[in-house]
Amino acid sequence: MWKRIIVGAFGGAFAGVGVFVIWPSVLYHLNWWGGFFAAGTIIPIAWFINHFCGAIPNDPEGSWVDMAFPIGLSAIFGGIVQVTKDGPVRAAHGIFTGGNPLPSMQTLAVQFVGACIGGLLAYWLLSAGKKEA
Amino acid sequence: MTGWTTANILSTLFGAALFPFMIAVAWGKMVEVFGAAGGWVAGFWIVGVSWLLNHGLGLHHQAGDVWIDMAMAAFVGLFVQSTLAGGKPGKAVPALISGVLGGLLGGLILSIMA
């Protein structure tokens, strides 16, 4: 199992670094449409490796751990790097680069509530018809 | 909760609900119908539109300097949805550990890049 955990950590780090370098950089060069297309650049291949090929060791009977988890943590720990025409520039600080995470916990808390609502709504839709809800 | 308007709170709640909802409802269905190619399209379209709404156009209010990505909403929402659907949180522990290690490793690489 520890081998699978290491592979999962590698796959998650690939997704996290890819997202927070490619995304802000494409955004810098192509604005909003760049941000939109950045999704198609990194997310599909990261999904294919992490979930379709199963790099992240999700148990079929377990709750789902999405690659979004290491992606989100990557930004919290390492911040965001934007490659501009002048080279790599730090766009946001993470804990490792001296950012203060405490004010951001407000966003995380509000987002947590919203995410639970979204998960509940999805469950209602997906379980409809399977049993009387 | 300093610096938050009611609009900030509501838009962050809405954006955070939207992303995991779309993934849970549409991503699996796309794979079911089109196979891996469906996942490829879902990765582009669902995440692209979500990013545009949440970060590009600003539904997600950032209260601090450390970036809270919509990805955390996806993780929480999908964990909640799959647990409600019968998934056992205890069996997710190895994946959770690999997720934390992946986040630490990714953060380390990001912190030395600039």
Side-chain angles (χ1 to χ4, degrees):
Chain A
M1 182 47 83
W2 63 272
K3 287 179 182 169
R4 294 294 315 277
I5 289 175
I6 290 173
V7 173
F10 182 70
F14 157 60
V17 172
V19 164
F20 292 109
V21 176
I22 292 172
W23 217 306
S25 304
V26 181
L27 177 65
Y28 170 82
H29 291 285
L30 299 174
N31 296 319
W32 285 340
W33 282 114
F36 181 65
F37 288 118
T41 308
I42 175 65
I43 297 295
I45 184 64
W47 165 80
F48 193 72
I49 289 170
N50 282 322
H51 294 314
F52 199 82
C53 301
I56 292 179
N58 269 302
D59 190 297
E61 294 176 7
S63 303
W64 182 258
V65 178
D66 200 81
M67 66 172 182
F69 185 41
I71 292 174
L73 286 179
S74 292
I76 293 173
F77 288 126
I80 299 176
V81 176
Q82 188 170 45
V83 182
T84 68
K85 61 180 166 45
D86 302 318
V89 173
R90 180 148 294 282
H93 279 287
I95 293 172
F96 291 166
T97 61
N100 177 10
L102 289 179
S104 302
M105 291 304 116
Q106 298 173 4
T107 300
L108 196 62
V110 175
Q111 186 202 55
F112 183 89
V113 176
C116 289
I117 295 171
L120 180 66
L121 293 177
Y123 169 68
W124 284 351
L125 174 53
L126 293 171
S127 64
K130 286 177 185 169
K131 59 176 189 281
E132 201 59 46
Chain B
M1 299 289 278
T2 49
W4 289 76
T5 64
T6 310
N8 287 153
I9 295 173
L10 289 176
S11 69
T12 304
L13 281 172
F14 183 76
L18 190 73
F19 190 32
F21 177 80
M22 286 206 291
I23 295 176
V25 169
W27 202 311
K29 190 67 112 185
M30 292 284 283
V31 174
E32 193 181 304
V33 175
F34 301 109
W40 219 271
V41 174
F44 184 0
W45 228 268
I46 294 174
V47 182
V49 170
S50 262
W51 176 85
L52 210 48
L53 287 169
N54 278 321
H55 297 313
L57 308 178
L59 282 183
H60 254 61
H61 176 65
Q62 298 288 340
D65 296 333
V66 171
W67 185 260
I68 303 298
D69 200 76
M70 63 177 187
M72 295 308 279
F75 160 64
V76 171
L78 292 173
F79 198 87
V80 167
Q81 180 267 329
S82 60
T83 305
L84 288 171
K88 296 182 182 67
K91 293 205 168 186
V93 170
L96 286 169
I97 294 172
S98 85
V100 172
L101 291 175
L104 286 168
L105 179 59
L108 184 71
I109 303 296
L110 285 166
S111 70
I112 60 175
M113 278 190 72

